[in-house]
Amino acid sequence: MARAGAPAALGTWSRPSVQAWLLRPPRRGRGARELQSRQSGKPPHTRRGVRMPRPEFQAPPDVFYNESEVPKYTTSSRIIEIQSRISERALELLALPNDGVPKLLLDIGCGSGLSGETLMEHGHHWIGYDISKSMLDVALLM
């Protein structure tokens, strides 16, 4: 049962849901990767033929982003690099005017605030929102 105010669980890859996914007609705009994934019978979240676990399909966020897991996420050089690249790309896509006036940006799913560091480096202010209290606690310390 979901907590009050929390979204319902997204579920796991049970056999019926995989079968329904395989039988669903492809949506427009999807690339060859999804089609290839359907033909192989594997869920789309794979890398080099190995299914990559997706936390949102396994359990609620409190399981993966709790007090013991958050420091691992926040200090991982790989995660830090990925978040930095994503944030830089998001700023490019926003195409904010370069008028010297800082903008106020909303980061939904901010996690521990790694993306916020990039936003601040570019002179912007940001507000973060995340479903995991443990991640927000770390973000407040940054």
Side-chain angles (χ1 to χ4, degrees), residues 1 6 9 14 19 46-47 60-61 64 67 70 78-79 82 94-95 97 104 111 119 121 133 138:
M1 181 169 190
S14 64
Q19 290 170 346
T46 60
R47 179 183 286 167
F64 293 99
E67 291 81 17
V70 169
R78 179 178 166 269
I79 296 294
I82 290 169
L94 285 172
L104 178 61
L119 299 176
E121 288 171 3
K133 183 183 178 326
V138 171

Side-chain angles (χ1 to χ4, degrees), residues 43-64:
H45 311 293
T46 60
R47 179 183 286 167
R48 297 186 190 124
V50 178
R51 181 173 172 203
M52 300 299 292
R54 295 288 303 258
E56 62 269 24
F57 295 132
Q58 304 297 318
D62 298 340
V63 172
F64 293 99

Side-chain angles (χ1 to χ4, degrees), residues 64-84 109-117 126 130 132-142:
F64 293 99
Y65 304 114
N66 57 32
E67 291 81 17
S68 64
E69 295 298 317
V70 169
K72 296 176 196 174
Y73 180 90
T74 306
T75 59
S76 166
S77 59
R78 179 178 166 269
I79 296 294
I80 292 169
E81 177 64 25
I82 290 169
Q83 288 296 326
S84 176
C110 69
S112 61
L114 293 174
S115 298
E117 291 180 13
W126 65 284
D130 199 276
S132 171
K133 183 183 178 326
S134 299
M135 289 292 242
L136 288 174
D137 289 342
V138 171
L140 289 172
L141 297 175
M142 296 182 106

Side-chain angles (χ1 to χ4, degrees), residues 6 8 13 16 23 28 33 37 41 51 62 67 69 84 91 95 102 111 120-121 124 131 138:
W13 282 103
L23 297 174
R28 290 179 137 198
R33 184 174 182 172
S37 174
R51 181 173 172 203
D62 298 340
E67 291 81 17
E69 295 298 317
S84 176
L91 286 171
M120 288 188 302
E121 288 171 3
H124 301 298
I131 193 170
V138 171

